[in-house]
Amino acid sequence: MDQEQQLNGAMRSVSINSNGLATKLNGHNGCKGNDETDNVRVLPAATAATGGSFTIGSDTSKATNAANSATAATANANAIQIQTSAAGASAADKKKMVHELCQQLLLTDEQVQELCYRILHEVRRGLAKDTHPKANVKCFVTYVQDLPNGNERGKFLALDLGGTNFRVLLIHLQENNDFQMESRIYAIPQHIMIGSGRQLFDHIAECLSNFMAEHNVYSERLPLGFTFSFPLRQLGLTKGLLETWTKGFDCAGVVDQDVVQLLKDAIARRGDVQIDVCAILNDTTGTLMSCAWKNHNCKIGLIVGTGSNACYVEKVEEAELFDMPDNHKPHVLINTEWGAFGDNGALDFVRTEFDNDIDSHSINPGKQTFEKMISGMYMGELVRLVLAKMTLNGVLFNGQGSEVLFTRGLFFTKYVSEIEADEPGTFTNCRLVLEELGLSNATDGDCANVRYICECVSKRAAHLVSAGIATLINKMDEPHVTVGVDGSVYRFHPKFHNLMVEKITQLIKPGISFDLMLSEDGSGRGAALVAAVACREDILNSK
Ligand code: BGC
């Protein structure tokens, strides 16, 4: 594939109707079971040492491969040396060693409770004018004040940027909560993710134009909702300045700029299509709106995917930064941007050596501390770091690792879900994953230990998310709250949902009930709904 094709090449095209049935699939795999974090590599840039003994890189250039082989060899040599301490150990002792090392990943009830206090404190700091500038959890005002009432109708375009892929969608909202949706996924090549802002927005505009041509709306002027899933300091429903990039993006010249203007400029530079940007929103907002369309109790939107974040319905008087003219509406959605919780050290009491490692080799060290302990961009890598350490100590695989195991970013988060999907006592998926990693001589004991490590990492993530959600539910203090949830980790991990239900139940005030509702494409349909609600306002205002 040449570069031009890679840039503009649509990856997949999907049409669905309101039953969620795919009616047209192009390209491999469709959307089924496709973890958006499959190919996410942590850290394009870094090569670094773990435990001081070997170097890990994610660059696949020949030179780096050679270096990796050499360092993997060093690692193996180290392993063989250290092995003497653990190689002769019994399976029971090895299990004990794994459990001991993983102890640091397990959160006690007291720690989780303490986290709730700290998250609430940070949310309050984000909401209050005086403390907002220094708060880590920014609690940005979204300017979305109305949930959908089910009467939204019409044809909308939506852009969805912020996961691994970029999507363009055409959504037709119809009567009786019915909708038609066509979408196409476009790759955002790595060089664009870390290139210039102009390149990124030109690419987006080009994909949009191609999509409009393919879907016969090239010459229509349609309303558009832009799901932009990064921390955005919103100044209105159609104006927002990027606070900082997350999730491996780092395009120059966008921080502090109005991304709606950047999009409009890129479209104007092409001069071919015309659109009306009616709203810019976060994926959490889209998720909440999408669920609220069907379920009016939905008051929280949560994403546990490549990144993690939540938004919720707040009372206007609590949102001190909300500067809307007095329209007497009592509520506004707040985008917490909780991924940055802990950037001031508030999570240090539960962080581990593995979290430090992830952070120091990330593209944004010191930032998104909470997200790095939870989300799909990092979960596989966390597991890999534990596996690598245990292998070097001779506890796993008889001390014999593989090049893949010792290479940063090559243990995909989807492996964690796959391994934990094995029936208890069976290791079918686990062995398949280990084979992909070049580890074909694993014993049953190794497999059980690998699985335990995955369980500790994913359980911790679920408990951290639960602490956040319980804090929001308790703060809202409503009798019943539905939480709309989306994201690859929540969707594909076999136990995440149950782990969350169990922990949130423990943490919420007596008398409050909740449920978790899987969102149907919040980033796409949610964007159309925010745009539709905004249009509804326009129509009312113009009357
Ligand atoms: C971003 C959020 C987003 C979340 C989930 C985080 O990295 O900062 O804006 O909602 O990822 O996609």
mmCIF file of all heavy atoms in Angstrom, residues 136-140 228-232 246 282-284 308-311 334-341 368 371:
data_model
loop_
_atom_site.group_PDB
_atom_site.id
_atom_site.type_symbol
_atom_site.label_atom_id
_atom_site.label_comp_id
_atom_site.label_asym_id
_atom_site.label_seq_id
_atom_site.Cartn_x
_atom_site.Cartn_y
_atom_site.Cartn_z
ATOM 1 N N ASN A 136 -6.388 18.599 38.948
ATOM 2 C CA ASN A 136 -6.033 17.608 37.928
ATOM 3 C C ASN A 136 -7.271 17.115 37.203
ATOM 4 O O ASN A 136 -7.241 16.866 36.004
ATOM 5 C CB ASN A 136 -5.345 16.401 38.561
ATOM 6 C CG ASN A 136 -3.949 16.731 39.026
ATOM 7 O OD1 ASN A 136 -3.515 16.258 40.061
ATOM 8 N ND2 ASN A 136 -3.238 17.547 38.280
ATOM 9 N N VAL A 137 -8.352 16.921 37.968
ATOM 10 C CA VAL A 137 -9.604 16.460 37.356
ATOM 11 C C VAL A 137 -10.371 17.730 36.983
ATOM 12 O O VAL A 137 -11.016 18.348 37.814
ATOM 13 C CB VAL A 137 -10.383 15.566 38.352
ATOM 14 C CG1 VAL A 137 -11.707 15.105 37.761
ATOM 15 C CG2 VAL A 137 -9.538 14.344 38.716
ATOM 16 N N LYS A 138 -10.275 18.101 35.733
ATOM 17 C CA LYS A 138 -10.674 19.454 35.340
ATOM 18 C C LYS A 138 -12.175 19.722 35.378
ATOM 19 O O LYS A 138 -12.605 20.859 35.468
ATOM 20 C CB LYS A 138 -10.149 19.759 33.931
ATOM 21 C CG LYS A 138 -8.650 20.039 33.903
ATOM 22 C CD LYS A 138 -8.349 21.341 34.631
ATOM 23 C CE LYS A 138 -6.886 21.719 34.558
ATOM 24 N NZ LYS A 138 -6.541 22.774 35.548
ATOM 25 N N CYS A 139 -12.968 18.691 35.235
ATOM 26 C CA CYS A 139 -14.426 18.889 35.258
ATOM 27 C C CYS A 139 -14.868 19.991 34.298
ATOM 28 O O CYS A 139 -15.471 21.002 34.709
ATOM 29 C CB CYS A 139 -14.892 19.196 36.682
ATOM 30 S SG CYS A 139 -14.826 17.756 37.725
ATOM 31 N N PHE A 140 -14.567 19.795 33.034
ATOM 32 C CA PHE A 140 -14.927 20.793 32.026
ATOM 33 C C PHE A 140 -16.433 20.829 31.803
ATOM 34 O O PHE A 140 -17.095 19.780 31.771
ATOM 35 C CB PHE A 140 -14.249 20.484 30.690
ATOM 36 C CG PHE A 140 -12.756 20.665 30.721
ATOM 37 C CD1 PHE A 140 -11.913 19.615 30.379
ATOM 38 C CD2 PHE A 140 -12.195 21.878 31.074
ATOM 39 C CE1 PHE A 140 -10.535 19.785 30.385
ATOM 40 C CE2 PHE A 140 -10.814 22.053 31.091
ATOM 41 C CZ PHE A 140 -9.983 21.003 30.753
ATOM 42 N N PHE A 228 -14.783 14.513 19.796
ATOM 43 C CA PHE A 228 -13.340 14.742 19.896
ATOM 44 C C PHE A 228 -12.947 14.326 21.310
ATOM 45 O O PHE A 228 -13.191 15.047 22.269
ATOM 46 C CB PHE A 228 -13.066 16.235 19.649
ATOM 47 C CG PHE A 228 -11.620 16.610 19.665
ATOM 48 C CD1 PHE A 228 -10.810 16.365 18.560
ATOM 49 C CD2 PHE A 228 -11.063 17.225 20.773
ATOM 50 C CE1 PHE A 228 -9.465 16.719 18.570
ATOM 51 C CE2 PHE A 228 -9.716 17.581 20.790
ATOM 52 C CZ PHE A 228 -8.925 17.329 19.685
ATOM 53 N N SER A 229 -12.365 13.135 21.439
ATOM 54 C CA SER A 229 -12.223 12.528 22.762
ATOM 55 C C SER A 229 -10.880 12.801 23.411
ATOM 56 O O SER A 229 -10.079 11.881 23.661
ATOM 57 C CB SER A 229 -12.498 11.031 22.665
ATOM 58 O OG SER A 229 -13.754 10.856 22.065
ATOM 59 N N PHE A 230 -10.680 14.066 23.643
ATOM 60 C CA PHE A 230 -9.483 14.525 24.337
ATOM 61 C C PHE A 230 -9.928 15.642 25.279
ATOM 62 O O PHE A 230 -11.013 16.203 25.093
ATOM 63 C CB PHE A 230 -8.454 15.060 23.321
ATOM 64 C CG PHE A 230 -8.016 14.019 22.343
ATOM 65 C CD1 PHE A 230 -8.619 13.936 21.086
ATOM 66 C CD2 PHE A 230 -7.042 13.098 22.674
ATOM 67 C CE1 PHE A 230 -8.243 12.949 20.185
ATOM 68 C CE2 PHE A 230 -6.667 12.108 21.770
ATOM 69 C CZ PHE A 230 -7.258 12.032 20.533
ATOM 70 N N PRO A 231 -9.084 15.989 26.259
ATOM 71 C CA PRO A 231 -9.511 17.038 27.202
ATOM 72 C C PRO A 231 -9.692 18.373 26.479
ATOM 73 O O PRO A 231 -8.768 18.886 25.850
ATOM 74 C CB PRO A 231 -8.330 17.125 28.186
ATOM 75 C CG PRO A 231 -7.571 15.852 28.022
ATOM 76 C CD PRO A 231 -7.768 15.416 26.606
ATOM 77 N N LEU A 232 -10.905 18.889 26.562
ATOM 78 C CA LEU A 232 -11.246 20.086 25.807
ATOM 79 C C LEU A 232 -11.826 21.116 26.764
ATOM 80 O O LEU A 232 -12.809 20.836 27.456
ATOM 81 C CB LEU A 232 -12.307 19.709 24.769
ATOM 82 C CG LEU A 232 -12.440 20.597 23.557
ATOM 83 C CD1 LEU A 232 -11.179 20.585 22.729
ATOM 84 C CD2 LEU A 232 -13.623 20.138 22.699
ATOM 85 N N THR A 246 -3.799 13.157 24.589
ATOM 86 C CA THR A 246 -3.655 11.917 25.375
ATOM 87 C C THR A 246 -3.601 10.748 24.384
ATOM 88 O O THR A 246 -3.663 10.956 23.173
ATOM 89 C CB THR A 246 -4.856 11.718 26.335
ATOM 90 O OG1 THR A 246 -6.064 11.651 25.558
ATOM 91 C CG2 THR A 246 -4.985 12.843 27.343
ATOM 92 N N ASN A 282 -17.289 15.229 23.849
ATOM 93 C CA ASN A 282 -16.422 14.144 24.281
ATOM 94 C C ASN A 282 -17.153 12.811 24.072
ATOM 95 O O ASN A 282 -18.388 12.786 24.060
ATOM 96 C CB ASN A 282 -16.118 14.386 25.769
ATOM 97 C CG ASN A 282 -15.072 13.454 26.315
ATOM 98 O OD1 ASN A 282 -15.381 12.469 26.978
ATOM 99 N ND2 ASN A 282 -13.831 13.735 26.017
ATOM 100 N N ASP A 283 -16.384 11.697 23.954
ATOM 101 C CA ASP A 283 -17.051 10.396 23.774
ATOM 102 C C ASP A 283 -17.908 10.012 24.980
ATOM 103 O O ASP A 283 -18.918 9.311 24.847
ATOM 104 C CB ASP A 283 -16.043 9.277 23.425
ATOM 105 C CG ASP A 283 -14.842 9.226 24.344
ATOM 106 O OD1 ASP A 283 -14.734 10.073 25.255
ATOM 107 O OD2 ASP A 283 -13.996 8.333 24.152
ATOM 108 N N THR A 284 -17.522 10.478 26.180
ATOM 109 C CA THR A 284 -18.342 10.167 27.361
ATOM 110 C C THR A 284 -19.706 10.854 27.235
ATOM 111 O O THR A 284 -20.735 10.257 27.563
ATOM 112 C CB THR A 284 -17.638 10.630 28.659
ATOM 113 O OG1 THR A 284 -17.311 12.016 28.541
ATOM 114 C CG2 THR A 284 -16.379 9.849 28.919
ATOM 115 N N SER A 308 -9.631 6.329 29.418
ATOM 116 C CA SER A 308 -10.765 6.230 30.352
ATOM 117 C C SER A 308 -11.180 7.615 30.825
ATOM 118 O O SER A 308 -10.344 8.488 31.060
ATOM 119 C CB SER A 308 -10.403 5.363 31.551
ATOM 120 O OG SER A 308 -11.533 5.320 32.423
ATOM 121 N N ASN A 309 -12.508 7.763 30.983
ATOM 122 C CA ASN A 309 -13.054 9.059 31.382
ATOM 123 C C ASN A 309 -14.534 8.869 31.710
ATOM 124 O O ASN A 309 -15.143 7.861 31.335
ATOM 125 C CB ASN A 309 -12.892 10.041 30.218
ATOM 126 C CG ASN A 309 -13.245 11.461 30.578
ATOM 127 O OD1 ASN A 309 -13.323 11.833 31.751
ATOM 128 N ND2 ASN A 309 -13.485 12.281 29.562
ATOM 129 N N ALA A 310 -15.081 9.857 32.429
ATOM 130 C CA ALA A 310 -16.521 9.819 32.719
ATOM 131 C C ALA A 310 -17.090 11.225 32.685
ATOM 132 O O ALA A 310 -16.377 12.202 32.963
ATOM 133 C CB ALA A 310 -16.758 9.210 34.097
ATOM 134 N N CYS A 311 -18.366 11.326 32.319
ATOM 135 C CA CYS A 311 -19.069 12.604 32.437
ATOM 136 C C CYS A 311 -20.358 12.346 33.210
ATOM 137 O O CYS A 311 -20.807 11.191 33.307
ATOM 138 C CB CYS A 311 -19.348 13.208 31.077
ATOM 139 S SG CYS A 311 -20.718 12.462 30.222
ATOM 140 N N ILE A 334 -21.003 17.537 32.886
ATOM 141 C CA ILE A 334 -19.605 17.848 33.200
ATOM 142 C C ILE A 334 -18.726 16.716 32.681
ATOM 143 O O ILE A 334 -18.966 15.545 32.992
ATOM 144 C CB ILE A 334 -19.417 17.975 34.735
ATOM 145 C CG1 ILE A 334 -20.212 19.160 35.289
ATOM 146 C CG2 ILE A 334 -17.948 18.081 35.108
ATOM 147 C CD1 ILE A 334 -19.722 20.521 34.863
ATOM 148 N N ASN A 335 -17.724 17.077 31.907
ATOM 149 C CA ASN A 335 -16.734 16.102 31.450
ATOM 150 C C ASN A 335 -15.593 16.109 32.464
ATOM 151 O O ASN A 335 -14.779 17.023 32.477
ATOM 152 C CB ASN A 335 -16.238 16.504 30.053
ATOM 153 C CG ASN A 335 -15.019 15.701 29.638
ATOM 154 O OD1 ASN A 335 -14.702 14.672 30.241
ATOM 155 N ND2 ASN A 335 -14.322 16.161 28.613
ATOM 156 N N THR A 336 -15.548 15.072 33.307
ATOM 157 C CA THR A 336 -14.580 15.118 34.424
ATOM 158 C C THR A 336 -13.124 15.090 33.958
ATOM 159 O O THR A 336 -12.269 15.673 34.581
ATOM 160 C CB THR A 336 -14.769 13.920 35.386
ATOM 161 O OG1 THR A 336 -14.474 12.714 34.693
ATOM 162 C CG2 THR A 336 -16.169 13.904 35.967
ATOM 163 N N GLU A 337 -12.841 14.386 32.865
ATOM 164 C CA GLU A 337 -11.446 14.111 32.459
ATOM 165 C C GLU A 337 -10.685 13.495 33.638
ATOM 166 O O GLU A 337 -9.591 13.926 33.996
ATOM 167 C CB GLU A 337 -10.748 15.382 31.946
ATOM 168 C CG GLU A 337 -11.192 15.812 30.571
ATOM 169 C CD GLU A 337 -10.852 14.789 29.457
ATOM 170 O OE1 GLU A 337 -9.923 13.979 29.644
ATOM 171 O OE2 GLU A 337 -11.524 14.818 28.405
ATOM 172 N N TRP A 338 -11.275 12.419 34.164
ATOM 173 C CA TRP A 338 -10.659 11.813 35.350
ATOM 174 C C TRP A 338 -9.368 11.054 35.046
ATOM 175 O O TRP A 338 -8.641 10.661 35.954
ATOM 176 C CB TRP A 338 -11.661 10.990 36.123
ATOM 177 C CG TRP A 338 -12.035 9.623 35.566
ATOM 178 C CD1 TRP A 338 -11.382 8.876 34.617
ATOM 179 C CD2 TRP A 338 -13.147 8.822 35.999
ATOM 180 N NE1 TRP A 338 -12.031 7.680 34.416
ATOM 181 C CE2 TRP A 338 -13.112 7.620 35.256
ATOM 182 C CE3 TRP A 338 -14.153 9.007 36.945
ATOM 183 C CZ2 TRP A 338 -14.056 6.606 35.418
ATOM 184 C CZ3 TRP A 338 -15.081 7.996 37.107
ATOM 185 C CH2 TRP A 338 -15.039 6.817 36.353
ATOM 186 N N GLY A 339 -9.065 10.870 33.790
ATOM 187 C CA GLY A 339 -7.807 10.194 33.430
ATOM 188 C C GLY A 339 -6.599 10.860 34.066
ATOM 189 O O GLY A 339 -5.587 10.219 34.330
ATOM 190 N N ALA A 340 -6.718 12.171 34.340
ATOM 191 C CA ALA A 340 -5.571 12.910 34.901
ATOM 192 C C ALA A 340 -5.541 12.857 36.422
ATOM 193 O O ALA A 340 -4.640 13.429 37.044
ATOM 194 C CB ALA A 340 -5.612 14.358 34.433
ATOM 195 N N PHE A 341 -6.511 12.149 37.024
ATOM 196 C CA PHE A 341 -6.492 12.022 38.482
ATOM 197 C C PHE A 341 -5.164 11.364 38.885
ATOM 198 O O PHE A 341 -4.726 10.397 38.266
ATOM 199 C CB PHE A 341 -7.689 11.179 38.951
ATOM 200 C CG PHE A 341 -7.661 10.876 40.416
ATOM 201 C CD1 PHE A 341 -7.697 11.895 41.349
ATOM 202 C CD2 PHE A 341 -7.587 9.563 40.868
ATOM 203 C CE1 PHE A 341 -7.654 11.625 42.708
ATOM 204 C CE2 PHE A 341 -7.550 9.273 42.225
ATOM 205 C CZ PHE A 341 -7.579 10.317 43.144
ATOM 206 N N GLN A 368 -2.000 11.762 32.919
ATOM 207 C CA GLN A 368 -3.011 10.706 32.778
ATOM 208 C C GLN A 368 -2.698 9.500 33.670
ATOM 209 O O GLN A 368 -2.807 8.343 33.248
ATOM 210 C CB GLN A 368 -3.130 10.279 31.296
ATOM 211 C CG GLN A 368 -3.593 11.363 30.350
ATOM 212 C CD GLN A 368 -4.980 11.889 30.622
ATOM 213 O OE1 GLN A 368 -5.144 12.960 31.190
ATOM 214 N NE2 GLN A 368 -5.998 11.141 30.249
ATOM 215 N N GLU A 371 -5.650 7.045 34.156
ATOM 216 C CA GLU A 371 -5.899 6.356 32.882
ATOM 217 C C GLU A 371 -4.856 5.266 32.630
ATOM 218 O O GLU A 371 -5.183 4.171 32.149
ATOM 219 C CB GLU A 371 -5.849 7.385 31.749
ATOM 220 C CG GLU A 371 -5.948 6.812 30.358
ATOM 221 C CD GLU A 371 -6.291 7.895 29.340
ATOM 222 O OE1 GLU A 371 -7.473 8.220 29.223
ATOM 223 O OE2 GLU A 371 -5.376 8.414 28.677
#
